[in-house]
Structures are given as C-alpha cells and as structure tokens.
C-alpha cells in the first residue's frame, strides 16, 4: 500500500475535506501498525528529540491527552499550553504571531480553539505542520478519523462494511463538530443511510446536508426518536452548551435525548453499536448516555477512545514522514505491562 494518493509529510491536517478514501485507508493501515506500541508490547523511539506543541484553548481531556500520549509513544516530547488566559492571546496577540513563535519551538503542533477557522488561520503563520484538534463548531478531523476507524472495526466484527452503513446521529447536530466531520467522511463511502435526530433548532447545517445528498446517500431527518430505527450505529452527542448564547437555550435542550438500556432496547436492534465522542454529560438533568449501558457489549465508546491513540500516532508518523522506519528504532519494554483491552 502506498501514500501516493496523498502526500502527508509536512502537511497540515485542518479538515476532513483533505482526505479521499485511499488516504483514509492508508492512515488506517498505519494506525493498525501502532497497536503493539500502544499496547506496550514493544516501543519505538522514532520521534526521539521531536517536540509536539499541544495548544488547547478550550476544555479537553481525551483529545489533548491522547495527542500527547500518541507523541510520547513514538518517543517524542510534549510541551503543553492550556487555556486562553495562560497564553499571550489574552494580551491581544494574533494567531499569526503566536504560530510564528511557537512553531519555532516545536516540530509539529496540535491545536484546539473556540473559533471556527482559527486553526486554519493559525496554520498560516506556522512553520511546522498543524493538526486541528477542534475549531469551534466547525470541524474535528482527528475525532472523525478515529470514529470512522472504530466504525470500520465494529462493522468487520459484525461481518459488514462501511459501504451500506445505516448511522443514526442524535442530539446537537448544529454545533457538534464531530458529527460535521464524520458526515463528510462517511459521504466518501457508498450507499450510506443517515438518520439525523435533533431538535429543529439544533439541526445539521445545510452545508453538511449538501455533502450527504451530493454523495447520493439516503437522508432521514426527524426531531424525535420514535419507532424502530434499523441502524447499525447509534451515534449519541452532547448538547454543546458552551456554544449557546443564552442559558435558557441550554436549559431547553438539556436531557431532551437520553439513551439508556430501556430506550435502546425499544428503538434499536440488538446489533446496533452505540458510539459517543465523549465527554457524555452524566449530570442527572442531562444523562444523555446512561451508566446502565456501561457493560453492554455494543457500547463502543471506550474502544473509540483507545483507537484515538492509534489514529493520532498514525497522523504524527505520516506528517513527520517516519511511518516506514518505526521498526528500525524499536526498544525493548522493560516494565510489566497491564493486560490491554485494545
Ligand atoms: C468532542 C469535542 O470536543 O468536540 N469531544 C472530543 O473531542 N472527544 C465532543 C464534545 O465536546 O461534546
């Protein structure tokens, strides 16, 4: 398999619009090779001496830490800036200047920022590759790739493929950047059925609907979870309260779409895989994905988070051009490894 269809080395990763199916397949091929490193069966120091600038100007747990972990697992060092108020952006510095400066201190940068388009603007001043870790309500390309990687694995374990998939997306489809990026990626495949379930005020943006219909896919839009949904995947999302202009709006939609064992059994099939980009809002008044599903074999949320490390490792290896020399820099693992569930 070759990367001829997509030249990753030195590239920014800003939007899923950059990828075609061949590029995705190649990223997943490299991600599969990362599993033994992530499981600590062996280790590589291929990025020894390299520095990741991990810039998170919005709250994050798994995206920030999995970017850092992925870089560490390839032997590199991580330098973090967390929170707008801790950076010179709070003193009025432009994204361009911050990028010029910080790219002098790093070999690659991962960045999250509350404004749509901000990461692309930042990349214009960067001398090193920039990976978008979420820009406002716009896009979250690495999450979409790890979601798609998970979907492919789940389909395989059920004897099916991404082509022909029926996915139900539930919740805040207006502000949820993960579903925007995921819809665009899935639209590259064949014969997908999208069932979009959200309050009309939080419906999927027109630009994403166009990507779906232009790809010739089937689209069902509704504001209620009703009847039987013959979906392979149920992708639940969090109401993105931080993007709302008023608290009233947040109060109106909080807890509107809940998923627990009883609701799942009533509306979905025994085969339906449950996904969520996380964090799930577990406060009683929201409780969008109940703990009573935690032991359900179809709950893929922690397979998603584990897969996130593999996909981010692959993206680092590809953008820094080391995907073919990882084995040459392997070292033994000297400590006892816990049993992995990856
Ligand atoms: C998502 C995000 O930040 O867009 N989280 C994540 O990165 N896994 C989803 C969310 O915050 O609801």
């Amino acid at each position: 398999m070759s990367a001829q269809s997509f030249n990753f080395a030195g590239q920014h990763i800003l939007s899923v619009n950059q990828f075609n199916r061949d590029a995705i397949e190649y990223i997943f091929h490299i991600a599969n090779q990362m599993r033994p490193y992530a499981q600590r069966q062996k280790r590589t120091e291929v990025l020894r001496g390299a520095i990741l600038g991990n810039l998170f100007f919005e709250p994050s747990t798994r995206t920030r830490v999995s970017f850092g972990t992925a870089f560490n697992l390839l032997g590199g060092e991580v330098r973090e800036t967390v929170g707008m108020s801790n950076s010179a952006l709070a003193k009025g510095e432009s994204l361009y200047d911050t990028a010029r400066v910080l790219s002098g201190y790093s070999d690659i940068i991962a960045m999250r920022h509350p404004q749509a388009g901000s990461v692309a603007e930042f990349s214009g001043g960067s001398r090193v590759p920039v990976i978008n870790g979420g820009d406002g309500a716009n896009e979250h390309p690495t999450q979409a790739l790890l979601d798609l990687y998970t979907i492919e694995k789940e389909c395989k374990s059920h004897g099916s493929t991404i082509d022909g998939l029926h996915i139900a997306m539930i919740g805040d489809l207006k502000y949820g950047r993960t579903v925007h990026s995921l819809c665009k990626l899935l639209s590259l495949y064949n014969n997908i059925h999208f069932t979009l379930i959200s309050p009309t005020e939080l419906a999927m943006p027109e630009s994403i609907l166009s990507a779906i219909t232009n790809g010739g896919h089937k689209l069902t839009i509704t504001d209620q979870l009703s009847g039987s949904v013959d979906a392979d995947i149920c992708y639940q999302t969090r109401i993105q309260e931080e993007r709302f202009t008023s608290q009233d709006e947040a109060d109106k939609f909080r807890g509107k779409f809940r998923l627990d064992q009883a609701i799942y059994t009533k509306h979905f099939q025994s085969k339906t895989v449950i996904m969520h980009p996380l964090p799930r809002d577990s406060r009683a008044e929201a409780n969008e994905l109940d703990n009573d599903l935690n032991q359900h074999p179809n709950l893929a949320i922690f397979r998603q988070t584990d897969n996130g490390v593999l996909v981010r490792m692959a993206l680092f290896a590809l953008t820094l051009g080391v995907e073919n020399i990882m084995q040459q820099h392997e070292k033994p693992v000297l400590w006892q490894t816990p049993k992995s569930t990856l």
Side-chain angles (χ1 to χ4, degrees):
M1 195 174 302
S2 83
Q4 275 161 6
S5 56
F6 188 88
N7 181 20
F8 290 92
Q11 296 291 312
H12 303 304
I13 296 184
L14 302 173
S15 163
V16 292
N17 296 341
Q18 293 168 244
F19 304 121
N20 58 24
R21 273 182 77 154
D22 285 348
I24 294 167
E25 205 181 307
Y26 190 57
I27 294 168
F28 291 179
H29 168 68
I30 301 298
N32 286 337
Q33 294 175 30
M34 298 301 184
R35 196 172 294 271
Y37 303 123
Q39 290 183 334
R40 319 295 202 272
Q41 286 160 8
K42 52 185 186 173
R43 137 186 123 72
T44 178
E45 292 190 342
V46 73
L47 290 186
R48 187 171 184 171
I51 297 175
L52 165 69
N54 213 19
L55 312 183
F56 276 74
F57 300 116
E58 258 196 340
S60 174
T61 301
R62 73 224 80 236
T63 305
R64 177 175 58 83
V65 178
S66 69
F67 267 124
T69 299
F71 209 74
N72 288 152
L73 284 167
L74 293 168
E77 307 277 342
V78 181
R79 190 153 290 281
E80 290 206 333
T81 302
V82 173
M84 197 79 84
S85 58
N86 295 326
S87 99
L89 291 173
K91 296 181 180 176
E93 186 169 62
S94 67
L95 288 168
Y96 178 87
D97 281 4
T98 305
R100 281 294 292 193
V101 173
L102 293 182
S103 59
Y105 305 158
S106 322
D107 296 280
I108 188 162
I109 289 175
M111 177 175 166
R112 170 173 289 186
H113 190 282
Q115 269 162 29
S118 55
V119 183
E121 186 184 336
F122 179 95
S123 72
S126 175
R127 294 168 277 171
V128 299
V130 175
I131 302 184
N132 183 358
D135 61 323
N138 184 34
E139 276 225 36
H140 197 341
T142 65
Q143 178 73 39
L145 285 168
L146 78 87
D147 286 340
L148 191 67
Y149 182 79
T150 306
I151 290 170
E152 187 174 64
K153 298 260 176 266
E154 299 291 323
C155 284
K156 210 167 177 185
S157 74
H158 289 92
S160 62
T161 59
I162 301 176
D163 289 320
L165 184 86
H166 180 186
I167 185 167
M169 295 179 167
I170 307 176
D172 186 348
L173 308 184
K174 179 178 181 186
Y175 295 113
R177 55 193 169 198
T178 71
V179 285
H180 300 164
S181 294
L182 182 57
C183 280
K184 288 201 265 182
L185 277 190
L186 282 169
S187 294
L188 297 173
Y189 290 76
N190 298 322
N191 191 26
I192 308 290
H193 181 182
F194 295 84
T195 294
L196 306 180
I197 306 166
S198 72
T200 43
E201 296 92 330
L202 300 180
M204 189 66 85
E206 277 301 325
S207 60
I208 308 292
L209 297 179
S210 306
I212 293 172
T213 45
N214 291 343
H217 304 289
K218 185 171 173 191
L219 187 56
T220 306
I221 299 177
T222 170
D223 62 358
Q224 278 174 48
L225 179 55
S226 61
S228 174
V229 186
D230 183 26
D232 302 291
I233 307 279
C234 160
Y235 190 104
Q236 173 71 305
T237 64
R238 182 178 65 85
I239 302 295
Q240 308 281 294
E241 296 190 3
E242 66 276 29
R243 313 254 178 254
F244 293 163
T245 43
S246 78
Q247 190 57 41
D248 288 355
E249 225 183 332
D251 294 341
K252 185 170 163 200
F253 300 118
R254 192 179 301 117
K256 192 134 181 120
F257 291 104
R258 295 165 189 262
L259 193 65
D260 61 16
Q261 181 74 60
I263 297 168
Y264 172 78
T265 310
K266 182 169 174 208
H267 295 289
F268 292 97
Q269 321 290 307
S270 58
K271 66 171 186 188
T272 308
V273 172
I274 305 162
M275 295 178 66
H276 191 303
L278 301 180
R280 51 178 156 171
D281 187 342
S282 293
R283 290 171 291 187
E285 61 275 25
N287 197 26
E288 67 215 10
L289 182 54
D290 198 280
N291 284 332
D292 72 358
L293 285 161
N294 279 359
Q295 304 308 320
H296 198 291
N298 289 352
L299 187 76
I301 56 176
F302 301 117
R303 296 195 279 277
Q304 287 172 268
T305 54
D306 284 346
N307 287 337
V309 173
L310 308 182
V311 168
R312 291 185 173 114
M313 286 175 82
L315 292 172
F316 285 136
L318 287 160
T319 47
L320 293 173
V322 297
E323 76 274 19
N324 293 320
I325 55 167
M326 297 178 304
Q327 290 82 2
Q328 291 162 34
H329 299 272
E330 284 180 1
K331 299 276 177 212
V333 174
L334 301 176
W335 60 92
Q336 294 282 323
T337 55
K339 274 267 172 286
S340 170
T341 52
L342 267 179

mmCIF file of all heavy atoms in Angstrom, residues 62 146 150 154 274-280 282 289-291 293-309 341-342:
data_model
loop_
_atom_site.group_PDB
_atom_site.id
_atom_site.type_symbol
_atom_site.label_atom_id
_atom_site.label_comp_id
_atom_site.label_asym_id
_atom_site.label_seq_id
_atom_site.Cartn_x
_atom_site.Cartn_y
_atom_site.Cartn_z
ATOM 1 N N ARG A 62 -9.673 13.948 26.645
ATOM 2 C CA ARG A 62 -9.124 12.836 25.840
ATOM 3 C C ARG A 62 -8.400 13.302 24.600
ATOM 4 O O ARG A 62 -7.395 12.691 24.223
ATOM 5 C CB ARG A 62 -10.181 11.764 25.548
ATOM 6 C CG ARG A 62 -11.250 12.068 24.576
ATOM 7 C CD ARG A 62 -12.606 11.619 25.048
ATOM 8 N NE ARG A 62 -13.122 12.600 25.988
ATOM 9 C CZ ARG A 62 -13.515 12.308 27.234
ATOM 10 N NH1 ARG A 62 -13.473 11.093 27.684
ATOM 11 N NH2 ARG A 62 -13.962 13.272 28.021
ATOM 12 N N LEU A 146 -10.931 8.786 13.974
ATOM 13 C CA LEU A 146 -10.954 7.703 14.965
ATOM 14 C C LEU A 146 -12.356 7.095 15.050
ATOM 15 O O LEU A 146 -12.503 5.879 15.284
ATOM 16 C CB LEU A 146 -10.434 8.172 16.327
ATOM 17 C CG LEU A 146 -11.325 8.997 17.253
ATOM 18 C CD1 LEU A 146 -12.189 8.131 18.132
ATOM 19 C CD2 LEU A 146 -10.457 9.882 18.123
ATOM 20 N N THR A 150 -13.115 3.236 14.153
ATOM 21 C CA THR A 150 -13.900 2.387 15.060
ATOM 22 C C THR A 150 -15.083 1.771 14.324
ATOM 23 O O THR A 150 -15.365 0.573 14.468
ATOM 24 C CB THR A 150 -14.390 3.225 16.267
ATOM 25 O OG1 THR A 150 -13.262 3.846 16.874
ATOM 26 C CG2 THR A 150 -15.118 2.353 17.287
ATOM 27 N N GLU A 154 -15.946 -2.135 14.023
ATOM 28 C CA GLU A 154 -17.215 -2.677 14.527
ATOM 29 C C GLU A 154 -17.971 -3.387 13.395
ATOM 30 O O GLU A 154 -18.536 -4.450 13.596
ATOM 31 C CB GLU A 154 -18.088 -1.555 15.125
ATOM 32 C CG GLU A 154 -17.461 -0.819 16.309
ATOM 33 C CD GLU A 154 -17.326 -1.660 17.579
ATOM 34 O OE1 GLU A 154 -18.226 -2.473 17.852
ATOM 35 O OE2 GLU A 154 -16.303 -1.510 18.284
ATOM 36 N N ILE A 274 -23.314 1.375 19.887
ATOM 37 C CA ILE A 274 -23.521 2.697 20.499
ATOM 38 C C ILE A 274 -22.190 3.448 20.548
ATOM 39 O O ILE A 274 -21.216 2.951 21.121
ATOM 40 C CB ILE A 274 -24.073 2.558 21.938
ATOM 41 C CG1 ILE A 274 -25.353 1.718 21.941
ATOM 42 C CG2 ILE A 274 -24.297 3.934 22.565
ATOM 43 C CD1 ILE A 274 -25.704 1.181 23.326
ATOM 44 N N MET A 275 -22.208 4.644 19.954
ATOM 45 C CA MET A 275 -20.992 5.465 19.969
ATOM 46 C C MET A 275 -21.301 6.846 20.540
ATOM 47 O O MET A 275 -22.451 7.289 20.547
ATOM 48 C CB MET A 275 -20.419 5.597 18.551
ATOM 49 C CG MET A 275 -19.942 4.270 17.973
ATOM 50 S SD MET A 275 -19.325 4.398 16.271
ATOM 51 C CE MET A 275 -17.859 5.420 16.456
ATOM 52 N N HIS A 276 -20.271 7.526 20.988
ATOM 53 C CA HIS A 276 -20.377 8.884 21.517
ATOM 54 C C HIS A 276 -18.942 9.431 21.523
ATOM 55 O O HIS A 276 -18.023 8.711 21.926
ATOM 56 C CB HIS A 276 -20.940 8.840 22.953
ATOM 57 C CG HIS A 276 -21.340 10.170 23.533
ATOM 58 N ND1 HIS A 276 -20.464 11.229 23.629
ATOM 59 C CD2 HIS A 276 -22.515 10.607 24.049
ATOM 60 C CE1 HIS A 276 -21.088 12.275 24.171
ATOM 61 N NE2 HIS A 276 -22.337 11.927 24.430
ATOM 62 N N PRO A 277 -18.739 10.672 21.069
ATOM 63 C CA PRO A 277 -17.352 11.170 21.042
ATOM 64 C C PRO A 277 -16.801 11.414 22.442
ATOM 65 O O PRO A 277 -15.594 11.521 22.623
ATOM 66 C CB PRO A 277 -17.460 12.478 20.253
ATOM 67 C CG PRO A 277 -18.879 12.923 20.432
ATOM 68 C CD PRO A 277 -19.687 11.660 20.530
ATOM 69 N N LEU A 278 -17.711 11.521 23.400
ATOM 70 C CA LEU A 278 -17.388 11.863 24.796
ATOM 71 C C LEU A 278 -16.817 13.284 24.875
ATOM 72 O O LEU A 278 -16.271 13.757 23.915
ATOM 73 C CB LEU A 278 -16.432 10.856 25.417
ATOM 74 C CG LEU A 278 -16.929 9.395 25.460
ATOM 75 C CD1 LEU A 278 -15.873 8.502 26.116
ATOM 76 C CD2 LEU A 278 -18.246 9.290 26.226
ATOM 77 N N PRO A 279 -16.918 13.994 25.957
ATOM 78 C CA PRO A 279 -17.493 13.549 27.215
ATOM 79 C C PRO A 279 -19.024 13.424 27.134
ATOM 80 O O PRO A 279 -19.675 14.225 26.468
ATOM 81 C CB PRO A 279 -17.104 14.669 28.183
ATOM 82 C CG PRO A 279 -17.016 15.898 27.317
ATOM 83 C CD PRO A 279 -16.501 15.414 26.007
ATOM 84 N N ARG A 280 -19.588 12.406 27.831
ATOM 85 C CA ARG A 280 -21.044 12.339 27.960
ATOM 86 C C ARG A 280 -21.425 13.181 29.171
ATOM 87 O O ARG A 280 -20.707 13.159 30.189
ATOM 88 C CB ARG A 280 -21.546 10.900 28.109
ATOM 89 C CG ARG A 280 -20.887 10.059 29.172
ATOM 90 C CD ARG A 280 -21.506 8.666 29.272
ATOM 91 N NE ARG A 280 -20.561 7.711 29.837
ATOM 92 C CZ ARG A 280 -20.857 6.469 30.204
ATOM 93 N NH1 ARG A 280 -22.096 6.029 30.070
ATOM 94 N NH2 ARG A 280 -19.945 5.656 30.669
ATOM 95 N N SER A 282 -23.123 13.477 32.198
ATOM 96 C CA SER A 282 -23.726 12.496 33.113
ATOM 97 C C SER A 282 -24.505 13.141 34.250
ATOM 98 O O SER A 282 -24.961 12.437 35.154
ATOM 99 C CB SER A 282 -22.627 11.589 33.688
ATOM 100 O OG SER A 282 -22.092 10.794 32.665
ATOM 101 N N LEU A 289 -26.296 9.483 28.079
ATOM 102 C CA LEU A 289 -25.923 8.085 27.824
ATOM 103 C C LEU A 289 -25.729 7.424 29.183
ATOM 104 O O LEU A 289 -24.715 7.619 29.854
ATOM 105 C CB LEU A 289 -24.636 8.036 26.977
ATOM 106 C CG LEU A 289 -24.114 6.674 26.557
ATOM 107 C CD1 LEU A 289 -25.178 5.855 25.849
ATOM 108 C CD2 LEU A 289 -22.906 6.838 25.633
ATOM 109 N N ASP A 290 -26.734 6.657 29.571
ATOM 110 C CA ASP A 290 -26.814 6.182 30.960
ATOM 111 C C ASP A 290 -25.754 5.119 31.278
ATOM 112 O O ASP A 290 -25.391 4.309 30.427
ATOM 113 C CB ASP A 290 -28.211 5.604 31.202
ATOM 114 C CG ASP A 290 -28.532 5.483 32.680
ATOM 115 O OD1 ASP A 290 -28.075 4.503 33.312
ATOM 116 O OD2 ASP A 290 -29.211 6.382 33.186
ATOM 117 N N ASN A 291 -25.333 5.130 32.545
ATOM 118 C CA ASN A 291 -24.370 4.136 33.024
ATOM 119 C C ASN A 291 -24.908 2.712 32.950
ATOM 120 O O ASN A 291 -24.128 1.767 33.012
ATOM 121 C CB ASN A 291 -23.982 4.426 34.478
ATOM 122 C CG ASN A 291 -23.022 5.599 34.565
ATOM 123 O OD1 ASN A 291 -22.270 5.854 33.624
ATOM 124 N ND2 ASN A 291 -23.051 6.314 35.675
ATOM 125 N N LEU A 293 -25.779 1.232 30.528
ATOM 126 C CA LEU A 293 -25.293 0.602 29.293
ATOM 127 C C LEU A 293 -23.793 0.289 29.362
ATOM 128 O O LEU A 293 -23.229 -0.247 28.398
ATOM 129 C CB LEU A 293 -25.585 1.519 28.093
ATOM 130 C CG LEU A 293 -27.053 1.565 27.640
ATOM 131 C CD1 LEU A 293 -27.321 2.800 26.793
ATOM 132 C CD2 LEU A 293 -27.412 0.298 26.871
ATOM 133 N N ASN A 294 -23.166 0.623 30.493
ATOM 134 C CA ASN A 294 -21.702 0.521 30.574
ATOM 135 C C ASN A 294 -21.147 -0.859 30.229
ATOM 136 O O ASN A 294 -20.070 -0.965 29.658
ATOM 137 C CB ASN A 294 -21.192 0.916 31.965
ATOM 138 C CG ASN A 294 -21.103 2.422 32.121
ATOM 139 O OD1 ASN A 294 -21.416 3.159 31.172
ATOM 140 N ND2 ASN A 294 -20.713 2.890 33.286
ATOM 141 N N GLN A 295 -21.853 -1.909 30.606
ATOM 142 C CA GLN A 295 -21.342 -3.264 30.357
ATOM 143 C C GLN A 295 -21.879 -3.851 29.053
ATOM 144 O O GLN A 295 -21.615 -5.009 28.742
ATOM 145 C CB GLN A 295 -21.727 -4.201 31.534
ATOM 146 C CG GLN A 295 -21.258 -3.739 32.902
ATOM 147 C CD GLN A 295 -19.765 -3.413 32.921
ATOM 148 O OE1 GLN A 295 -18.954 -4.112 32.317
ATOM 149 N NE2 GLN A 295 -19.407 -2.338 33.615
ATOM 150 N N HIS A 296 -22.650 -3.050 28.324
ATOM 151 C CA HIS A 296 -23.248 -3.587 27.091
ATOM 152 C C HIS A 296 -22.151 -3.846 26.046
ATOM 153 O O HIS A 296 -21.339 -2.961 25.789
ATOM 154 C CB HIS A 296 -24.285 -2.594 26.540
ATOM 155 C CG HIS A 296 -25.227 -3.222 25.579
ATOM 156 N ND1 HIS A 296 -24.836 -3.661 24.339
ATOM 157 C CD2 HIS A 296 -26.539 -3.531 25.689
ATOM 158 C CE1 HIS A 296 -25.868 -4.178 23.719
ATOM 159 N NE2 HIS A 296 -26.914 -4.129 24.520
ATOM 160 N N PRO A 297 -22.131 -5.038 25.461
ATOM 161 C CA PRO A 297 -21.050 -5.331 24.502
ATOM 162 C C PRO A 297 -21.060 -4.410 23.288
ATOM 163 O O PRO A 297 -20.028 -4.229 22.639
ATOM 164 C CB PRO A 297 -21.311 -6.793 24.090
ATOM 165 C CG PRO A 297 -22.694 -7.119 24.556
ATOM 166 C CD PRO A 297 -23.010 -6.195 25.682
ATOM 167 N N ASN A 298 -22.210 -3.825 22.965
ATOM 168 C CA ASN A 298 -22.273 -2.929 21.799
ATOM 169 C C ASN A 298 -21.858 -1.497 22.125
ATOM 170 O O ASN A 298 -21.857 -0.642 21.247
ATOM 171 C CB ASN A 298 -23.692 -2.898 21.217
ATOM 172 C CG ASN A 298 -24.050 -4.193 20.533
ATOM 173 O OD1 ASN A 298 -23.202 -5.060 20.366
ATOM 174 N ND2 ASN A 298 -25.308 -4.336 20.151
ATOM 175 N N LEU A 299 -21.544 -1.221 23.374
ATOM 176 C CA LEU A 299 -21.101 0.134 23.734
ATOM 177 C C LEU A 299 -19.637 0.287 23.322
ATOM 178 O O LEU A 299 -18.746 -0.331 23.914
ATOM 179 C CB LEU A 299 -21.243 0.366 25.243
ATOM 180 C CG LEU A 299 -20.958 1.809 25.676
ATOM 181 C CD1 LEU A 299 -22.132 2.722 25.338
ATOM 182 C CD2 LEU A 299 -20.661 1.884 27.173
ATOM 183 N N ALA A 300 -19.398 1.116 22.294
ATOM 184 C CA ALA A 300 -18.051 1.211 21.717
ATOM 185 C C ALA A 300 -17.290 2.447 22.199
ATOM 186 O O ALA A 300 -16.189 2.713 21.717
ATOM 187 C CB ALA A 300 -18.152 1.216 20.195
ATOM 188 N N ILE A 301 -17.831 3.172 23.164
ATOM 189 C CA ILE A 301 -17.240 4.484 23.499
ATOM 190 C C ILE A 301 -15.792 4.386 23.995
ATOM 191 O O ILE A 301 -14.986 5.263 23.693
ATOM 192 C CB ILE A 301 -18.098 5.271 24.523
ATOM 193 C CG1 ILE A 301 -18.329 4.481 25.805
ATOM 194 C CG2 ILE A 301 -19.424 5.685 23.886
ATOM 195 C CD1 ILE A 301 -19.100 5.266 26.887
ATOM 196 N N PHE A 302 -15.467 3.324 24.711
ATOM 197 C CA PHE A 302 -14.084 3.220 25.186
ATOM 198 C C PHE A 302 -13.182 2.540 24.154
ATOM 199 O O PHE A 302 -11.971 2.683 24.201
ATOM 200 C CB PHE A 302 -14.040 2.559 26.566
ATOM 201 C CG PHE A 302 -14.842 3.342 27.581
ATOM 202 C CD1 PHE A 302 -15.953 2.788 28.196
ATOM 203 C CD2 PHE A 302 -14.515 4.661 27.868
ATOM 204 C CE1 PHE A 302 -16.710 3.532 29.099
ATOM 205 C CE2 PHE A 302 -15.270 5.416 28.772
ATOM 206 C CZ PHE A 302 -16.371 4.845 29.384
ATOM 207 N N ARG A 303 -13.785 1.861 23.203
ATOM 208 C CA ARG A 303 -12.985 1.398 22.051
ATOM 209 C C ARG A 303 -12.625 2.630 21.204
ATOM 210 O O ARG A 303 -11.518 2.719 20.672
ATOM 211 C CB ARG A 303 -13.768 0.355 21.240
ATOM 212 C CG ARG A 303 -14.052 -0.914 22.053
ATOM 213 C CD ARG A 303 -14.485 -2.079 21.182
ATOM 214 N NE ARG A 303 -15.881 -2.088 20.776
ATOM 215 C CZ ARG A 303 -16.898 -2.551 21.532
ATOM 216 N NH1 ARG A 303 -16.660 -3.018 22.748
ATOM 217 N NH2 ARG A 303 -18.138 -2.548 21.075
ATOM 218 N N GLN A 304 -13.568 3.584 21.102
ATOM 219 C CA GLN A 304 -13.258 4.830 20.382
ATOM 220 C C GLN A 304 -12.063 5.540 21.026
ATOM 221 O O GLN A 304 -11.142 5.976 20.338
ATOM 222 C CB GLN A 304 -14.458 5.792 20.416
ATOM 223 C CG GLN A 304 -15.627 5.413 19.545
ATOM 224 C CD GLN A 304 -16.827 6.322 19.819
ATOM 225 O OE1 GLN A 304 -17.676 6.007 20.643
ATOM 226 N NE2 GLN A 304 -16.893 7.466 19.147
ATOM 227 N N THR A 305 -12.085 5.692 22.346
ATOM 228 C CA THR A 305 -11.012 6.464 22.995
ATOM 229 C C THR A 305 -9.668 5.742 22.861
ATOM 230 O O THR A 305 -8.637 6.384 22.662
ATOM 231 C CB THR A 305 -11.320 6.746 24.476
ATOM 232 O OG1 THR A 305 -11.601 5.511 25.155
ATOM 233 C CG2 THR A 305 -12.492 7.677 24.621
ATOM 234 N N ASP A 306 -9.677 4.411 22.948
ATOM 235 C CA ASP A 306 -8.424 3.671 22.744
ATOM 236 C C ASP A 306 -7.935 3.823 21.307
ATOM 237 O O ASP A 306 -6.748 4.022 21.052
ATOM 238 C CB ASP A 306 -8.625 2.180 23.059
ATOM 239 C CG ASP A 306 -8.680 1.910 24.565
ATOM 240 O OD1 ASP A 306 -8.311 2.797 25.353
ATOM 241 O OD2 ASP A 306 -9.093 0.793 24.942
ATOM 242 N N ASN A 307 -8.859 3.728 20.366
ATOM 243 C CA ASN A 307 -8.480 3.858 18.957
ATOM 244 C C ASN A 307 -7.934 5.249 18.639
ATOM 245 O O ASN A 307 -7.147 5.417 17.708
ATOM 246 C CB ASN A 307 -9.685 3.568 18.053
ATOM 247 C CG ASN A 307 -10.035 2.090 18.016
ATOM 248 O OD1 ASN A 307 -9.189 1.234 18.283
ATOM 249 N ND2 ASN A 307 -11.282 1.776 17.696
ATOM 250 N N GLY A 308 -8.353 6.244 19.402
ATOM 251 C CA GLY A 308 -7.879 7.611 19.181
ATOM 252 C C GLY A 308 -6.372 7.714 19.273
ATOM 253 O O GLY A 308 -5.734 8.477 18.528
ATOM 254 N N VAL A 309 -5.763 6.962 20.155
ATOM 255 C CA VAL A 309 -4.301 6.988 20.289
ATOM 256 C C VAL A 309 -3.655 6.423 19.021
ATOM 257 O O VAL A 309 -2.703 7.000 18.481
ATOM 258 C CB VAL A 309 -3.851 6.199 21.541
ATOM 259 C CG1 VAL A 309 -2.341 6.071 21.588
ATOM 260 C CG2 VAL A 309 -4.371 6.873 22.806
ATOM 261 N N THR A 341 -6.914 -3.981 26.715
ATOM 262 C CA THR A 341 -8.204 -4.388 26.140
ATOM 263 C C THR A 341 -8.363 -3.812 24.732
ATOM 264 O O THR A 341 -9.448 -3.876 24.170
ATOM 265 C CB THR A 341 -9.374 -3.885 27.004
ATOM 266 O OG1 THR A 341 -9.219 -2.498 27.215
ATOM 267 C CG2 THR A 341 -9.423 -4.627 28.310
ATOM 268 N N LEU A 342 -7.307 -3.216 24.193
ATOM 269 C CA LEU A 342 -7.422 -2.619 22.855
ATOM 270 C C LEU A 342 -7.841 -3.649 21.817
ATOM 271 O O LEU A 342 -7.319 -4.750 21.827
ATOM 272 C CB LEU A 342 -6.085 -2.033 22.428
ATOM 273 C CG LEU A 342 -5.812 -0.572 22.709
ATOM 274 C CD1 LEU A 342 -4.429 -0.204 22.227
ATOM 275 C CD2 LEU A 342 -6.833 0.343 22.059
#
